[in-house]
């Protein structure tokens, strides 16, 4: 098999890079063993505001524009619905938080995303005496459906190998590389937390965090918006809601824990006062970086080897943006932005 690219890993980063290749008529094959769960357990929200501090997301305008275009294209390609437009309501804990919200909503980079109207709480199942602030231009991507459908699409086109990548079998030459029976021009590693086992990219400034999510059934809750309080509460239909997420630095396994569940339930019960039933509990490791910026670029020795990683907690939004940057860097020698480039580490 001869292709332009070998891609290792098919989470949000890998899919975004595949889409760049597809739209530019490049051939590729993907290796994926489903070992990384960060994208699979993602809540899937796209939200251009950091709600803890009421500040804009880095490159939020550019990220959002590219992300919405990509997911619309994927919906057309896969003939499925992925993008569910849903507002995000930030629960206020005090009058001071309300005032901070109004101050933030006057800032040029936030004005179009933060409504300057306080929404009163009229839902008896929610504890929110100070009401909510609404974030505009938000939504949820069904990441599980996306990954499952995209893998099926690649299988149909014989473009995916469901197996672990054997680094020792990769032979790198100046103008090409070979892997078993595959010859390619470039290899891109988009493995998420799995990069910690990659011998070609060591000593990366990763600060991975484990995240746990619950899915609950709460027929009396009846909300059609994402509620952000101590936890996120995300409606996914049929009276089901995702509750997330935890941030654990020490236990870096994909196993769920009672500690994580307890923390999520404590946050949940501080904002809702209705019966619920736990339906599912999942965990995964986010490839977060110490400076909260992606890790994108070329290997320091091998000119045809690249990294696309470090999307952290906002992979839904940032994935398409960094994938395009990497593609333009490889194919057109367009410089990567310093804030995401691996060159910032040297």
């Amino acid at each position: 098999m001869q292709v332009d690219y070998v891609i290792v890993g098919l989470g949000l980063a890998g899919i975004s890079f595949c889409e760049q290749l597809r739209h530019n008529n490049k051939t590729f094959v993907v290796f994926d063993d489903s070992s990384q769960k960060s994208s699979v357990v993602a809540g899937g929200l796209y939200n251009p505001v950091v709600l803890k501090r009421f500040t804009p997301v880095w490159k939020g305008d550019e990220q959002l524009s590219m992300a919405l275009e990509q997911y619309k294209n994927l919906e057309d390609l896969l003939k499925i619905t992925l993008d569910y437009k849903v507002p995000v309501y930030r629960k206020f804990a005090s009058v001071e938080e309300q005032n901070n919200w109004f101050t933030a909503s006057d800032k040029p980079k936030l004005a179009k995303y933060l409504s300057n109207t306080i929404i009163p709480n009229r839902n008896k199942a929610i504890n929110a005496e100070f009401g909510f602030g609404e974030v505009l231009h938000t939504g949820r991507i069904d990441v599980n459906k996306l990954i499952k459908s995209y893998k099926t699409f690649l299988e149909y086109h014989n473009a995916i190998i469901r197996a672990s990548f054997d680094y020792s079998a990769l032979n790198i030459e100046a103008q090409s590389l070979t892997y078993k029976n595959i010859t390619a021009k470039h290899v891109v590693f988009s493995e998420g937390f799995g990069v910690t086992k990659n011998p070609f990219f060591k000593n990366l400034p990763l600060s991975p965090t484990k995240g746990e999510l619950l899915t609950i059934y709460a027929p009396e809750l009846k909300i059609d918006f994402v509620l952000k309080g101590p936890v996120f509460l995300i409606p996914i239909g049929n009276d089901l809601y995702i509750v997330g997420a935890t941030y654990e630095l020490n236990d870096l396994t994909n196993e769920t824990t009672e500690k994580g569940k307890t923390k999520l339930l404590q946050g949940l019960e501080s904002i809702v006062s209705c019966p619920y039933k736990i339906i599912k509990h999942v965990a995964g490791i986010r490839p977060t970086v110490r400076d909260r910026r992606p890790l994108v670029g070329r290997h320091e020795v091998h000119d045809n080897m690249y990294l696309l990683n470090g999307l952290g907690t906002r992979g839904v939004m940032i994935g398409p943006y960094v994938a395009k940057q990497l593609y333009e860097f490889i194919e057109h020698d367009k410089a990567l932005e310093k804030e995401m480039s691996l060159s910032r580490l040297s």
Side-chain angles (χ1 to χ4, degrees):
M1 178 189 293
Q2 188 162 355
V3 293
D4 295 316
Y5 286 82
V6 168
I7 301 167
V8 183
L10 196 70
L12 289 167
I15 289 174
S16 293
F17 195 74
C18 287
E19 284 300 282
Q20 286 295 318
L21 299 180
R22 251 189 5 96
H23 286 293
N24 288 281
N25 298 313
K26 301 294 183 181
T27 56
F28 62 90
V29 64
V30 178
F31 283 82
D32 186 77
D33 62 4
S34 300
S35 63
Q36 302 307 307
K37 304 296 182 183
S38 176
S39 295
V40 174
V41 301
L45 289 180
Y46 56 86
N47 163 30
V49 181
V50 179
L51 288 176
K52 187 174 182 179
R53 300 184 298 273
F54 304 155
T55 55
V57 169
W58 174 70
K59 299 288 184 181
D61 289 347
E62 297 94 327
Q63 287 183 31
L64 188 59
S65 175
M66 291 185 61
L68 294 179
E69 180 181 1
Q70 174 176 291
Y71 296 123
K72 177 63 172 67
N73 290 338
L74 283 165
E75 287 182 324
D76 294 341
L77 174 73
L78 304 172
K79 296 179 174 56
I80 56 176
T81 300
L82 294 170
D83 186 358
Y84 296 86
K85 306 298 184 184
V86 56
V88 173
Y89 285 14
R90 169 58 152 81
K91 175 183 175 289
F92 294 130
S94 63
V95 172
E96 182 183 7
E97 279 198 344
Q98 292 178 342
N99 293 334
N100 291 342
W101 178 274
F102 284 128
T103 299
S105 68
D106 283 335
K107 296 178 180 178
K109 288 187 176 181
L110 289 171
K112 67 179 178 181
Y113 296 123
L114 299 183
S115 168
N116 56 15
T117 302
I118 299 285
I119 299 174
N121 176 37
R122 296 190 174 91
N123 189 326
K124 293 180 180 179
I126 298 174
N127 307 316
E129 62 176 304
F130 296 100
F132 315 102
E134 181 180 359
V135 188
L136 310 173
H137 308 293
T138 59
R140 178 180 69 88
I141 300 300
D142 191 331
V143 178
N144 283 304
K145 187 194 295 185
L146 168 60
I147 292 175
K148 182 178 179 180
S149 298
Y150 204 80
K151 286 181 178 179
T152 300
F153 170 77
L154 293 183
E155 282 184 332
Y156 180 80
H157 291 279
N158 297 313
I160 187 171
I161 297 172
R162 291 180 180 255
S164 298
F165 190 82
D166 180 2
Y167 304 105
S168 66
L170 182 62
N171 295 307
I172 307 161
E173 300 174 5
Q175 301 299 320
S176 66
L177 53 89
T178 58
Y179 179 84
K180 299 181 180 179
N181 67 331
I182 300 169
T183 302
K185 297 176 183 176
H186 312 283
V187 59
V188 174
F189 292 103
S190 56
E191 305 157 286
F193 179 60
V195 76
T196 55
K197 298 178 181 178
N198 188 324
F200 298 109
F201 290 96
K202 296 182 177 180
N203 303 315
L204 296 173
L206 286 174
S207 181
T209 56
K210 178 175 183 172
E212 298 188 50
L213 299 175
L214 298 175
T215 301
I216 63 167
Y217 175 65
E220 295 179 23
L221 186 52
K222 301 299 182 189
I223 62 172
D224 57 0
F225 53 86
V226 173
L227 177 56
K228 174 63 174 81
V231 292
F232 270 108
L233 195 56
I234 307 171
I236 57 175
N238 300 314
D239 296 319
L240 296 172
Y241 300 86
I242 293 173
V243 183
T246 60
Y247 294 84
E248 169 62 44
L249 297 174
N250 297 315
D251 172 18
L252 298 181
T253 70
N254 288 322
E255 302 300 319
T256 58
T257 66
E258 284 299 312
K259 176 184 174 182
K261 182 169 76 171
T262 297
K263 189 165 186 177
L264 290 171
L265 292 180
Q266 287 173 343
L268 173 66
E269 290 174 3
S270 72
I271 54 177
V272 303
S273 55
C274 64
Y276 62 85
K277 179 180 179 182
I278 298 173
I279 303 298
K280 187 164 61 172
H281 184 191
V282 295
I285 312 300
R286 309 178 189 91
T288 46
V289 184
R290 288 172 199 152
D291 64 3
R292 297 297 184 263
R293 294 292 181 265
L295 296 171
V296 183
R298 179 185 284 126
H299 189 272
E300 59 186 359
V301 175
H302 305 300
D303 287 345
N304 47 7
M305 179 182 291
Y306 302 88
L307 186 71
L308 182 61
N309 208 308
L311 272 58
T313 61
R314 295 183 179 272
V316 161
M317 267 185 62
I318 200 172
Y321 182 75
V322 296
K324 183 173 177 60
Q325 287 255 336
L326 180 58
Y327 179 82
E328 295 291 334
F329 173 68
I330 298 171
E331 293 291 338
H332 304 298
D333 203 26
K334 184 176 179 181
L336 291 164
E337 291 180 18
K338 179 79 174 184
E339 288 177 288
M340 72 170 69
S341 174
L342 290 175
S343 65
R344 75 184 189 273
L345 307 180
S346 56

